[in-house]
Amino acid sequence: MAAHLKKRVYEEFTKVVQQQHEDLSTKKLRLTKPSKSAALHVDLCKATSPADALQYLLQFARKPVEVESVEGVVRILLEHYYKESDASVRLKIASLLGLLSKTAGFSPDCIMDDAINTLQNEKSHQVLAQLLDTLLVIGTKLPENLSVRMRLVEVACKHLTDSSHGVRNKCLQLIGCLGPVEKGVAKEAESQAAKDVQKIIGDHFNDQDPRVRTAAIKAMLQLHERGLKLQQAIYSQACKLLADDYEQVRSAAVQLIWVLSQLYPESIVPIPSSNEEIRLVDDAFGKICHMVSDGSWVVRVQAAKLLGSMQQVSSHFLEQTLDKKLMSDLRRKRTAHERAKELYSSGEFSSGRKWGDDAPKEEIDTGAVNLIESGACGAFVHGLEDEMYEVRIAAVEALCMLAQSSPSFAEKCLDFLVDMFNDEIEEVRLQSIHTMRKISNNITLREDQLDTVLAVLEDSSRDIREALHELLCCTNVSTKEGIHLALVELLKNLTKYPTDRESIWKCLKFLGSRHPTLVLPLVPELLSTHPFFDTPEPDMDDPAYIAVLVLIFNAAKSCPTMPALFSDHTFRHYAYLRDSLSHLVPPLRLPGRKLVSSAVSPSITPHEDPSQQFLHQSLERVYNFQHLDPRGIQELLEFTIRDLQRLGELQSELAGMADFSATYLQCQLLLIKALQEKLWNVAAPLYLKQNALASAAAKQILEETYKMEFMYSGVESRQVVIIHHMRLQAKALQLIVTARTTRGVEPLFGMCEKFLQEVDSFQRYFISELPHMQGSFVDKLLDLMPRLVTSKPSEVVKILQTTLRQSTFLHLPLPEQIHRATANIIEPTGESDNPLRFTSGLVVALDVDATLEHVQDPQGTVKVQVLYPDGQAQLIHPKPADFRNPGPERHRLITQVYLSHTAWTEPCQIEVRLLLAYNSNRSKASTRVPKSTWSESLEALPPSENGIEGTIPFSKPVKVYIMPKPARR
Amino acid sequence: MPEIKVTPLGAGQDVGRSCILVSIAGKNVMLDCGMHMGYNDDRRFPDFSYITQNGRLTDFLDCVIISHFHLDHCGALPYFSEMVGYDGPIYMTHPTKAICPILLEDYRKITVDKKGETNFFTSQMIKDCMKKVVAVHLHQTVQVDEELEIKAYYAGHVLGAAMFQIKVGCESVVYTGDYNMTPDRHLGAAWIDKCRPDLLITESTYATTIRDSKRCRERDFLKKVHETVERGGKVLIPVFALGRAQELCILLETFWERMNLKAPIYFSTGLTEKANHYYKLFITWTNQKIRKTFVQRNMFEFKHIKAFDRAFADNPGPMVVFATPGMLHAGQSLQIFRKWAGNEKNMVIMPGYCVQGTVGHKILSGQRKLEMEGRQILEVKMQVEYMSFSAHADAKGIMQLIRQAEPRNVLLVHGEAKKMEFLKQKIEQEFHVSCFMPANGETTTILTNPCIPVDISLGLLKRETAIGPLPDAKKPKLMHGTLLMKDNSFRQVSPEQALKELGLAEHQLRFTCRVHIQDPRKEHETGLRVYNHLKGILKDYSVQHLPDGSITVESILIQATAHSEDQGTKVLLVSWTYQDEELGSYLTSLLKKGLPQST
């Protein structure tokens, strides 16, 4: 806010003064930049002490260096390197060498020999390590050059015997990143050292320094990532490392074991101290499970995470992870879970009142009890009870992944997941609810479990409740009591938190449609009907009653006998709800109620087809009759657009498609209209005012194309081409209009050039799509390109005008799934009459709660705009953490917007809306252009010339009443 | 052979009166100084006369370490230090130091004021005793004297509970005190690094128990409380002032917060309130959740829990009350119980063990009609629930700790003999370490094999490492040098330096050996043959033929002379210094085999 206010101040004080260009100078001065290398050389020579030299180098490092001068700079640096006696300066030089070789577009093979040479006489270990790092950078910049890589690996192998851990670390890293991966290559390369990188790295698993051991394991993992198949022999080595004293080593070793278990799941390993053998993946699973009770939580998190992805493990191993034999005074005891299950199966309600009903029963043989199992026993039991919530979350995630792949395991882990609903940390609770939702197809909740689940409905956190509603949407409940319980708890929830209304209704909708047979016996009770007496008609506006009806109607959809139980007013209410809450109440076939059944379209399934057909037909019509006379086309377009828009309103599934095509047709319509203006036929100067329509049209088309490109999800490259094509046409139109209306040619030069550039970049981006665009504007334009480049602006304009008129209308193919991004601000509601009062100059926080649908990457694109009555607009970027993702393609923005203003005399309304920011650079088209991998390391990337940033409003504005009061003195 | 001696004065095959004497490398340390809850006579305190019959204990003990503030671990402290007499340092953690005197004072009040005992320590003695206490931080290495150092590790159990590592030179002992390996609502889990002590002295209260997940217990507890409150009933939870009370408070507080409940929660004033104050202060000793959130809000600043007033018990509507004492035998909890017992909507939850004879024990065993004083019959209609919340490690936890610390020996205390037997067998079987379980007064001796650090001069180290293959720190390496034991320290120095320091002259020791060889040729020819022969075999050594006909291999001199009597026999004189013994003897054996037949 402060920054924003400051900006305002600056805006008031800065005035833009436009200078008239005196561009008549015919002579051009060409300035050559002073050579960087020379300057550096001078600086370094001037340096009297190492500290001085270091300062110069530090200053130098802050500025980017152009590609052309890199080599020169490197030479200078190397020269100084040899002269320098101070290790810290040499270190800086070495690091600079690395930085410089990262420069995009610079090929470092020319400096490689020098860099290797510097290693020879270096005594300082730190400098040596830095130099190796530089070599690593060089090596990664030249991934193709095999001999270079081999040489570097050889150099690294030579320095592996260094006494400093830092140097050995870097060597291993280098070998890991550059070591030969392909089998055949290793043979070709004659060098002794590079023959078996795995062995070299493996030898350092036993290094004395833990950091080097870690580096060795990491290097091994790096090799694996680069595609080298690790040898199975490493497995036993890695297992030993699991008992290392240092946590980094153990953590890396766990990863290595996991990698090996994925590579050789089926091979057989012996169990030490017995003759048995088991599958490697099982053995690894057991070992990683063991690490879940490691002393370091970093390792525990790592281990718990990896467990989730070991899906090949045999089921009895898997089930052991949930096993924990309880005992009390050497007698076997049943776990609470087992007791609950037993109570459930015996049909008895849990009394829980007896003291000692958990009393231990049978005696255990002391010899048979294994207190520390080497296997997977109880790994998840431990993980879920861990002290650190990071471990617990990781364990829950792992549980989720394993349960998704194994239904029997899902059934078993249910009890534990339900327990996690009571964790002390909200994140863990939320995570376990989500997990449960994900595995819900595999499970059916028992009544006692449901009870625990439902208890969470009273949670004060909205996220938890909503996650739970989502979970209930897709759970299977086993008994009618369960349904009743769920309904009762949901209604309780509703009275406690009325804002959850929508979410609860939705939840009941699914609950009803999933369990029609269980709902059926409950209907009389729920509707409180009586066989003899008429009961009073419930209040139609009561959200609780609506909730009950939603449940019943959705169950009735697949249970035709149910409507017989309804009373008269229920039918009336049905008709009302079907209209008012059509997304929650399904169409029902109700016998004897003609009124109702006629209101609903007769059948459900073929329902979609006609409208889809209609959509396609109307689009067909437009594309086919494009050779009609202009007036006809215009009318046809207008009608079709109207039809499509109406269709979009009626049919939510087709809304995206209909809107998308309607927008496209709208653009075309505007284009046609603009081209039919009279102004084209008349001499330019006379019609200065008349062009308003044409230029407005051009502007609007541009806007619409941005909307089409960025507001719809599921847009494919085929559509993007056509959108860009339309935009190109609009730009051409703009150019023509400007040419027509402005006097003089000077401004046109720039515009023409820019336009031609755009045509050019269009061609570059969409070269593959051009064959599909026969007869289009751009097709014709490209044919004329040689002529255009050489001709004068006025000619260009003429050519453009004719091509624009002659070009055909491109058929817009519809993608499979296309959805328009929508946003709905739930809060603030805009209904409040009470102004939000605050002292002027201070800030007030306004809670904004909105649902976003079909928005890709909302964190990057969605902004909140606040519009003050004085026309001042403020743009707020919500934090990434403010976005929740409750379901696919759906997001929820819960954020706070800070408002501030100077004092007003009376309350006034501000507007809050959501905007979708876009940047044409980030468009789907440009992602195809290969980006240089090092580009992010260099801050000075010039923004490309056609990067247009803008925003599209995509929610209805909400008005908030505010009143900044003057501060009291 | 150096040894560690351990003698439990209390808690040997027993629970209560923890007091263990450890003597390690000439240092005597006393671990804990507790009282026994079961006795009211002399047996309630450890028998300090075992240490010395007369005279002050200070001369015999180097330090005393208290693991946590429970009375069975610190109850005898004022008696020990003030009445028996000990002036040395007493170590405990900061929270223990803060809370310990409160409990001691409470204990003193009950014994002296209520039971009317005399000859008991006074308030002043408690204060004097606490002045001798040195507080330590977690993971802080405290030097008791030049050799003895101690270090505290987190132990869970109660606020401020710690495990202590006692270290003298390379020998070390870890004493766990009471600890908990599973975290609870307010404390974290015990943790220790891989310190590989010679001896681990661990508690074994639950040696034969493996417990169920605490989540089920918590959930049951909360569900019961919640249901009763929703019905409009009142819930009474009798607790002891410290430890579990705070855990349950946090549990209920967070639950109330989460579920947005409005019913009031009270806890009885007095001790609990004071204790809560300390819990608020020592946030760093609590678990992750409390530590992370205390910036926004200190979890012990309860929003829903208020101080209890006697009058509140008669208020209508639901409420939850924590009241002391925990066994319903007297005081506030009993008063409230009598008021509420008649209503079946109410509930009493016993969160811990109850001694036989108390009201708590009676109602737990299902008695519904209680005879109160004044021949009153109290009919108990309220629901009675039992929930066990215990903060000791179970068998699995103990094993887990042993696995973490990797000790060479284990010693079990603080548990029942029969249960220890089982655990002992398990430990020996799984970890292959020896395990002991001495009874009170029984001394266990453990032999140690300590390593002795020796200083080496850098020059010598560099010189020695330069010889031979590259250093591999994982393997022991043989080094030549002189071991100098001087001023109670060990140093390895080069022989020259040792001579210089000790002011001794160097003696040369030379071996000579004659080898007879049958060779009819001339002396110098024999010499040449020997030279060629040696040159061929000893490729890595510098073999030289000197102008005077003698041969040198490195520094070994070989001369060939003709035998005075038999010209056909040549005598080879081999001479070497003591340092070249290895090469010299090799050469002689080589020469004794004779020269190869020349062609």
Side-chain angles (χ1 to χ4, degrees), chain A residues 246-307:
Chain A
Y246 290 84
E247 66 178 27
Q248 317 96 294
V249 184
R250 292 200 300 268
S251 169
V254 169
Q255 275 182 53
L256 186 59
I257 294 231
W258 177 79
V259 164
L260 287 166
S261 80
Q262 302 298 305
L263 282 175
Y264 306 96
E266 297 302 329
S267 48
I268 299 294
V269 288
I271 302 175
S273 76
S274 81
N275 297 328
E276 284 171 68
E277 290 178 326
I278 50 171
R279 290 161 72 215
L280 190 138
V281 65
D282 289 344
D283 190 51
F285 187 76
K287 291 213 159 78
I288 296 180
C289 279
H290 203 55
M291 299 310 278
V292 173
S293 49
D294 190 86
S296 152
W297 69 273
V298 182
V299 181
R300 295 202 297 267
V301 172
Q302 177 80 265
K305 267 191 192 145
L306 291 177
L307 281 184

Side-chain angles (χ1 to χ4, degrees), chain B residues 88-126:
Chain B
I90 300 169
Y91 292 96
M92 46 177 90
T93 60
H94 284 275
T96 310
K97 189 185 174 187
I99 299 172
C100 193
I102 309 176
L103 285 175
L104 286 172
E105 182 60 33
D106 193 51
Y107 173 47
R108 191 197 64 81
K109 261 189 207 154
I110 289 172
T111 343
V112 178
D113 299 354
K114 290 243 166 90
K115 293 182 186 152
E117 269 191 60
T118 49
N119 193 21
F120 205 71
F121 54 80
T122 61
S123 296
Q124 189 55 44
M125 284 180 181
I126 298 175

Side-chain angles (χ1 to χ4, degrees), chain A residues 206 208 213 243-245 290 293 295 324-330 335-337 352-353 355 366-367 369-373 384-390 392 419-425 429 451-452 455 458-460 492 496-497, chain B residues 182-185 188-189 191 194 196 208-216 219 223-224 226 230 257-261 287-289 291-292 364-365 383-386 395-396 399-400 403-404 419 422-423 426 430-431 470 473-474:
Chain A
N206 297 322
Q208 54 168 322
R213 291 201 290 274
D244 200 277
D245 281 9
H290 203 55
S293 49
K324 189 179 177 189
K325 297 261 183 307
L326 300 190
M327 61 176 191
S328 171
D329 285 351
L330 285 179
T335 61
H337 292 151
R353 210 165 307 162
W355 181 44
T366 48
V369 182
N370 199 6
L371 282 180
I372 272 224
E373 286 86 351
L384 293 177
E385 274 187 37
D386 199 275
E387 182 186 0
M388 311 299 280
Y389 82 92
E390 291 91 342
R392 298 199 296 268
D419 276 351
M420 295 308 284
F421 283 19
N422 282 319
D423 195 274
E424 54 189 344
I425 301 234
R429 297 201 292 270
D451 201 26
T452 325
E458 289 193 45
D459 203 295
S460 59
K492 231 196 247 174
K496 207 163 174 182
Y497 306 100
Chain B
T182 46
D184 63 31
R185 286 283 167 157
W191 179 85
K194 242 181 221 185
R196 300 195 175 92
T208 53
T209 301
I210 301 175
R211 270 176 307 172
D212 199 358
S213 118
K214 69 180 165 73
R215 277 173 213 291
C216 300
R219 201 185 57 213
K223 205 171 139 194
K224 279 168 188 165
H226 189 190
E230 261 192 348
E257 185 97 22
R258 253 181 74 194
M259 297 303 184
N260 233 338
L261 297 178
N287 72 3
Q288 187 193 20
K289 154 104 180 172
R291 267 182 288 144
K292 286 225 163 129
L364 274 183
S365 47
Q383 297 172 50
V384 179
E385 301 284 353
Y386 174 76
K396 272 207 158 182
M399 298 301 263
Q400 208 181 328
R403 190 159 75 93
Q404 272 184 22
K419 296 182 181 176
F422 165 77
L423 191 66
K426 283 290 152 198
E430 310 252 356
F431 296 108
L470 274 159
K474 278 278 167 110

